[in-house]
């Protein structure tokens, strides 16, 4: 089946640091979505990407659709305590018939 | 604007008891509807999706079933719960080509 590798699995960072995480797939995707999930809540959509090379920002968050169409990254600049949570990438490959493939998540933890 | 409602938020059920989780969407017509399950600290596993009333596709063989009796209502059921059915259940909706998924707040199910 389709595979989507998300890394890192977890990150310990200092407040104010920049964060970077990425997802790679074994297939060409035509959609990349990035979500954030707080404990006990449903995931919330952060950024949606639809074109190879597309770079989109949402506040301090920036995500890019890789030019090979097999990867995407999410950057968070100047992290703050409320950035803590689990970040998921999800992608839709060609002819997927509605289904999204999900990464396993990147858990962001801010050091006290 | 569109909203998605999912209830209950938490549920503790004995093994062998039935289950019914309900999800409703407001503010949109003919959405695609999804049920996901998430084990603690893990990614999302697609259980069922529906593209219309009475149309249900199952992604994994399991002890659960889904129904869509109305356009904006999606129900997850079981006749007899197993311990392994414990988890965080999420309902989501999407619409249109290259759809984005929007999630409910989830139901934490504990089967004891």
């Amino acid at each position: 089946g389709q595979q989507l590798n998300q890394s890192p699995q977890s990150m310990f960072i200092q407040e104010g640091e920049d964060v970077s995480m990425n997802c790679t797939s074994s297939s060409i995707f035509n959609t990349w979505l990035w979500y954030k999930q707080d404990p006990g809540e449903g995931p919330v959509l952060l950024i949606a990407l639809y074109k190879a090379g597309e770079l989109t920002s949402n506040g301090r968050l920036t995500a890019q659709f890789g030019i090979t169409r097999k990867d995407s990254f999410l950057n968070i600049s100047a992290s703050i305590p409320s950035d803590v949570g689990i970040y998921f990438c999800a992608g839709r490959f060609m002819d997927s018939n509605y289904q999204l493939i999900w990464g396993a998540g990147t858990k962001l933890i801010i050091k006290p | 604007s569109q909203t998605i409602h999912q209830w209950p938020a938490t549920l503790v059920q004995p093994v062998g008891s039935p289950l019914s989780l309900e999800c409703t969407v407001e503010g949109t017509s003919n959405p695609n509807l999804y049920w996901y399950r998430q084990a603690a600290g893990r990614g999302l596993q697609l259980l069922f999706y529906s593209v219309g009333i009475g149309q249900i596709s199952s992604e994994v063989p399991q002890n659960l079933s889904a129904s869509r009796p109305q356009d904006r209502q999606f129900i997850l059921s079981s006749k007899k719960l197993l311990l392994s059915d414990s988890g965080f259940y999420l309902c989501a909706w999407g619409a249109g080509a290259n759809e984005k998924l929007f999630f409910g707040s989830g139901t934490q199910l504990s089967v004891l």
Side-chain angles (χ1 to χ4, degrees):
Chain A
Q2 302 297 326
Q3 296 286 335
L4 215 176
N5 296 311
Q6 184 172 353
S7 64
Q9 188 174 15
S10 60
M11 301 181 71
F12 289 81
I13 61 169
Q14 296 280 3
E15 184 176 348
E17 286 184 353
D18 296 344
V19 173
S20 184
M21 60 192 78
N22 69 84
C23 282
T24 59
S25 71
S26 56
S27 300
I28 293 175
F29 279 19
N30 58 18
T31 302
W32 283 100
L33 306 174
W34 284 94
Y35 288 83
K36 183 195 176 203
Q37 185 178 28
D38 291 327
E41 298 290 330
V44 174
L45 181 66
L46 299 173
I47 293 176
L49 303 164
Y50 298 110
K51 296 180 182 178
E54 181 180 356
L55 186 70
T56 298
S57 294
N58 178 4
R60 294 178 294 105
L61 279 63
T62 301
Q64 185 162 26
F65 195 140
I67 58 173
T68 66
R69 306 183 74 175
K70 291 185 177 182
D71 60 348
S72 177
F73 71 77
L74 175 71
N75 286 344
I76 305 173
S77 62
S79 57
I80 60 177
S82 61
D83 291 333
V84 164
I86 302 178
Y87 293 79
F88 290 99
C89 63
R92 186 175 291 115
F93 59 94
M94 308 292 280
D95 302 323
S96 67
N97 193 28
Y98 300 105
Q99 294 187 38
L100 283 172
I101 309 297
W102 290 83
T106 294
K107 188 173 185 178
L108 189 63
I109 303 164
I110 293 187
K111 299 174 188 175
Chain B
S1 63
Q2 300 88 1
T3 56
I4 180 168
H5 302 281
Q6 185 180 345
W7 67 93
T10 59
L11 191 59
V12 180
Q13 291 285 100
V15 170
S17 64
L19 173 74
S20 181
L21 302 181
E22 189 162 344
C23 173
T24 59
V25 181
E26 296 177 357
T28 186
S29 297
N30 196 30
N32 296 323
L33 296 173
Y34 302 81
W35 278 111
Y36 282 87
R37 177 168 57 201
Q38 185 178 29
R42 305 289 295 276
L44 284 76
Q45 179 188 34
L46 179 63
L47 301 176
F48 302 95
Y49 70 94
S50 171
V51 300
I53 295 174
Q55 300 179 61
I56 309 294
S57 296
S58 174
E59 287 303 299
V60 293
Q62 56 201 310
N63 185 42
L64 302 168
S65 62
S67 61
R68 185 170 177 174
Q70 300 181 44
D71 181 44
R72 289 169 288 178
Q73 183 185 27
F74 206 22
I75 297 172
L76 184 69
S77 303
S78 174
K79 292 182 179 178
K80 289 185 178 181
L81 284 168
L82 306 173
L83 288 173
S84 57
D85 291 324
S86 294
F88 192 52
Y89 289 83
L90 289 157
C91 180
W93 76 273
N98 294 326
E99 64 178 4
K100 308 168 197 175
L101 289 195
F102 298 94
F103 286 84
S105 54
T107 296
Q108 182 64 53
L109 173 66
S110 299
V111 182
L112 305 177

